[in-house]
Amino acid sequence: MPLVLATQAPGEPEIFASVQGEGPSAGMPCTFLRLSRCNLACVWCDTAYTWHFAGDERPHRDGVEFDRKANQLTLDEAEIAARIAALGQKRLVITGGEPLLQAPALARLLELLPDVTVEIETNGTTKANPPLDIRIDQFNVSPKLAHSGNPADLALIPERLDAYATDPRAWFKFVIAAPADLDEVLALRDRYRFKRDHVFLMPEGTDSATLREREQWLAPLCVEHGFRMSDRLHIHLFGDTRGT
Ligand code: SF4
């Protein structure tokens, strides 16, 4: 099976070079590969074009339903590998959507890219199969809190969170919309014993003004509880746009 990618524009796969905007490797130059499809449905998802297709009745705050044909593209692994190699970056960030839904095809893709460092962004509900897992250098795990609108039994899978919590390659990034969201993060940290310096709090927001406003109260909370804070550089640089 080939991979199902998101599109930057109809017919154009979302593969691009930029700097990582979030988390432990923020600021690093890399190539991004964005895959389509997700098993969750966050009401504030900023890549709803990867899953909120016409007929999907799960709510999203923008109320937009995307045309599947215009927003998905199926490509074989060799074509994707050639496009990634042509961008000349040493680091590859695989994102989505939920990219681990396509783990077997991703493993085949990475066989064609033996020299790249691989970072994968996941909601933490699923895992990489062994041939993919051995190629992943960094997991950016973003478990979804109640304000995402997902039922906890879908978004927070104990077996998976236990496994990521003990994996030295895993970093946790919690999207925070209000100070009260911290209570859930603290409970999860206590339950799963996340390594303290591996936990980022990141403001929810898709414009600079919202991010800046929320960072004003988020920074003191990070100081108080010993978390790291993540900005969203790409939003400040490019706004909420595809291919950035
Ligand atoms: S898990 Fe990520 S891609 Fe999926 S709906 Fe939530 S924010 Fe969007």
Side-chain angles (χ1 to χ4, degrees):
M1 282 283 290
L3 282 152
V4 183
L5 281 67
T7 59
Q8 279 178 229
E12 186 184 342
E14 196 168 352
I15 302 171
F16 59 96
S18 188
V19 289
Q20 170 62 290
E22 305 174 354
S25 36
M28 292 182 75
C30 53
T31 292
F32 282 86
L33 165 65
R34 188 179 303 283
L35 301 188
S36 189
R37 299 170 52 205
C38 189
N39 58 329
L40 297 182
C42 303
V43 291
W44 38 255
C45 178
D46 62 357
T47 55
Y49 59 92
T50 64
W51 60 270
H52 201 234
F53 301 119
D56 188 330
E57 294 182 353
R58 294 174 296 175
H60 186 272
R61 70 180 175 192
D62 296 341
V64 178
E65 290 187 344
F66 293 89
D67 176 56
R68 188 184 289 269
K69 277 192 180 158
N71 289 280
Q72 281 188 335
L73 184 64
T74 300
L75 286 181
D76 68 33
E77 294 87 345
E79 167 76 18
I80 299 168
R83 286 174 180 257
I84 290 169
L87 290 169
Q89 298 296 319
K90 296 189 176 80
R91 191 174 191 88
L92 173 65
V93 177
I94 303 172
T95 189
E98 173 46 63
L100 291 178
L101 297 180
Q102 302 187 65
L106 275 178
R108 291 194 298 274
L109 170 69
L110 294 177
E111 281 178 21
L112 306 174
L113 297 164
D115 299 323
V116 295
T117 299
V118 180
E119 181 176 332
I120 197 154
E121 306 200 308
T122 174
N123 59 31
T125 59
T126 186
K127 64 178 180 179
N129 60 352
L132 176 61
D133 187 76
I134 57 169
R135 283 302 316 281
I136 306 299
D137 298 283
Q138 179 177 314
F139 288 96
N140 301 333
V141 184
S142 184
K144 296 303 185 275
L145 305 177
H147 69 86
S148 69
N150 295 290
D153 61 338
L154 291 183
L156 303 170
I157 311 290
E159 181 192 357
R160 294 272 53 80
L161 292 174
D162 269 331
Y164 283 121
T166 54
D167 188 331
R169 300 170 296 171
W171 302 75
F172 292 87
K173 182 178 65 185
F174 290 95
V175 176
I176 304 293
D181 298 336
L182 253 291
D183 294 344
E184 271 180 272
V185 178
L186 293 170
L188 290 167
R189 183 187 69 183
D190 291 347
R191 175 170 177 180
Y192 295 103
R193 298 172 182 266
F194 301 134
K195 292 179 199 66
R196 178 170 285 216
D197 63 350
H198 276 229
V199 180
F200 285 78
L201 305 185
M202 185 179 78
E204 190 277 316
T206 52
D207 63 82
S208 277
T210 301
L211 294 175
R212 292 294 184 233
E213 183 269 316
R214 291 179 171 175
E215 285 164 356
Q216 294 300 311
W217 49 256
L218 190 56
L221 289 172
C222 288
V223 173
E224 180 182 348
H225 296 287
F227 294 125
R228 298 174 70 167
M229 192 171 91
S230 176
D231 199 1
R232 307 193 74 202
L233 286 176
H234 53 301
I235 296 291
H236 300 302
L237 290 167
F238 309 110
D240 184 21
T241 52
R242 301 190 195 193
T244 56

